[in-house]
Amino acid sequence: MKKVIVGLSGGVDSSVAAYLLKKQGYDVHAVYMVNWHDTEGLRSGDCPATEEKLVAELVARKLNIPFHIVDFSEDYRKRVVDYMFAEYEKGRTPNPDVLCNREIKFDPFLKLAEEMNADYIATGHYCRKESIEKEGTIVHRLLVGSDPNKDQSYFLCQLSQKQLAKTLFPIGDIHKPEVRRIADEQGLASAHRKDSQGICFVGKVDLPTFLQQKLRSRKGDIIEIPNTYPWPDLSQYKAAEAANLPADQLTKLCAEHSYKASDGQKVGTHIGAQFYTIGQRKGLNVGGKTEPLFVISTDIEQNIVFTGMGHSHHGLNRPGLFIAHNEIHYIRPDLAMNIGEIKAYDVRIRYRQPLQKALLVMREEGLFILFEELQRGIASGQFAAWYDGEELIGSGVIA
């Protein structure tokens, strides 16, 4: 009998994953991961760990499977939270959920499972795995979940072949309503719990308050850049033509817009440029505008937040992005691109964003991603993930 360690969070997805594995004949053990203890920055009444641990234990008892509690909080603080603080301090926007999976759920958790002599770990992610043979080698494919409204493959965009080989996704081919129905039918304590929100393992936080644990508040100016600013003319832009441009022109095309205070007009003040991200609307507290203001850039050194008015503001849109060589990761190393190659893929730059048609252009400088249509709110520090049909091929941190 194969032994599986399920990361049981107290949510309905991991609960049903554990149930299905037991039903399939696996020797199932549950592990509840304690990864965060602090409550500073959590919104009032939202302390997920207090309830989740109890629910997870009730589910394990109902399923009659061994239940273990393990504390990974030191690893989580060093490898996820400290990274978050460092990135925000530089004016970048990290994705803690991607990091949490790469650094915790599929690293120390996997090592723990191996110490427990388990054959696999399992999670409640909405994605699928398929193993194929290619030139005599087993290759593991990471596929989107069958439920298009819940697909979580993006959060796993940094996984490796070694990690996938040891992982099962029991609910990847099931739709969320069916997961709820199974949990209810089996009388699991998590059946009607709301889906978790906010930062992985921390909960729903007021981000500026959370970040102020380490990042100092510093009053600065909010500058509005008018839509009459001399933007690059992209009216004739075509990704296929841009893909053949010299590297310096590609770099300029994919670079984040930058501004000076004299390019616009002061419309308010903020609490620190590091607390804002491109595309952000809430938290600016600037009134008297006919349309909402959006963050279009930040200058950390000068402590300035640049904004543009309206959803169609030119400063929100870019034709492409750049990923440095050392930030490129392939789930499928056998499909890694060579310098000079150009490949068409579908790309997303944030969770739940519809896939966007794009060309990936590999140069000596790194990887350029050129979209067929201008993209709104590209933020450095986020992950871009590229797909071939239903399969996630690779990802990288946006420069």
Side-chain angles (χ1 to χ4, degrees), residues 34 46 112 130 152 208 231 332:
V34 177
D46 188 9
L112 172 70
E130 178 184 271
Q152 294 173 309
W231 313 98
R332 289 286 303 273

Side-chain angles (χ1 to χ4, degrees), residues 19-289:
Y19 163 74
L20 291 174
L21 289 168
K22 184 174 182 186
K23 186 180 177 183
Q24 291 164 18
Y26 287 98
D27 175 18
V28 181
H29 290 239
V31 166
Y32 177 83
M33 289 174 262
V34 177
N35 292 318
W36 193 249
H37 295 286
D38 297 348
T39 58
E40 188 172 350
L42 282 176
R43 292 183 181 175
S44 179
D46 188 9
C47 185
T50 54
E51 182 182 349
E52 284 177 352
K53 185 163 62 173
L54 173 62
V55 173
E57 192 167 5
L58 289 173
V59 169
R61 194 178 302 165
K62 178 72 175 179
L63 296 177
N64 194 27
I65 58 177
F67 181 73
H68 312 269
I69 298 175
V70 62
D71 193 323
F72 289 142
S73 57
E74 191 61 28
D75 282 319
Y76 186 80
R77 177 177 289 279
K78 289 178 180 176
R79 297 164 68 171
V80 178
V81 176
D82 285 354
Y83 178 90
M84 272 183 62
F85 284 129
E87 287 287 274
Y88 273 107
E89 191 170 26
K90 297 172 191 170
R92 291 160 60 84
T93 307
N95 189 308
D97 294 290
V98 174
L99 292 169
C100 179
N101 285 312
R102 185 183 74 187
E103 301 292 337
I104 304 297
K105 291 180 183 176
F106 293 87
D107 193 356
F109 176 46
L110 181 55
K111 290 173 183 172
L112 172 70
E114 290 171 344
E115 291 170 6
M116 295 172 67
N117 297 314
D119 297 283
Y120 299 103
I121 61 170
T123 71
H125 285 101
Y126 286 87
C127 61
R128 296 171 291 143
K129 183 182 82 171
E130 178 184 271
S131 300
I132 61 173
E133 186 174 330
K134 183 177 180 182
E135 298 176 356
T137 301
I138 299 299
V139 175
H140 305 286
R141 305 174 71 217
L142 179 62
L143 307 176
V144 300
S146 294
D147 187 340
N149 295 315
K150 294 298 294 181
D151 169 48
Q152 294 173 309
S153 58
Y154 175 81
F155 289 141
L156 306 181
C157 67
Q158 289 276 293
L159 296 193
S160 67
Q161 284 289 302
K162 181 181 176 182
Q163 291 166 324
L164 278 175
K166 291 284 189 177
T167 305
L168 301 176
F169 302 112
I171 65 168
D173 58 353
I174 305 176
H175 286 226
K176 184 75 177 201
E178 176 67 5
V179 169
R180 291 272 185 204
R181 188 195 65 76
I182 292 171
D184 192 39
E185 189 178 76
Q186 297 304 315
L188 303 182
S190 57
H192 301 291
R193 292 196 75 220
K194 291 182 179 179
D195 291 344
S196 60
Q197 293 181 311
I199 298 173
C200 178
F201 286 126
V202 175
K204 202 165 186 179
V205 300
D206 179 76
L207 192 58
T209 302
F210 182 75
L211 293 174
Q212 284 175 52
Q213 293 180 64
K214 283 198 174 182
L215 306 184
R216 182 170 60 91
S217 296
R218 193 159 58 106
K219 189 176 179 181
D221 293 340
I222 298 175
I223 303 293
E224 181 184 350
I225 303 296
N227 229 352
T228 53
Y229 177 85
W231 313 98
D233 182 11
L234 296 173
S235 60
Q236 304 300 314
Y237 165 80
K238 289 184 175 60
E241 295 176 3
N244 295 305
L245 290 172
D248 60 334
Q249 293 184 42
L250 268 182
T251 300
K252 187 176 181 181
L253 190 66
C254 293
E256 184 177 316
H257 299 301
S258 60
Y259 312 92
K260 306 185 298 293
S262 57
D263 292 332
Q265 172 185 346
K266 179 180 174 179
V267 292
T269 58
H270 60 77
I271 60 171
Q274 69 270 29
F275 300 128
Y276 298 83
T277 188
I278 292 175
Q280 180 176 334
R281 173 181 173 179
K282 295 181 179 179
L284 290 169
N285 299 318
V286 176
K289 297 293 176 180

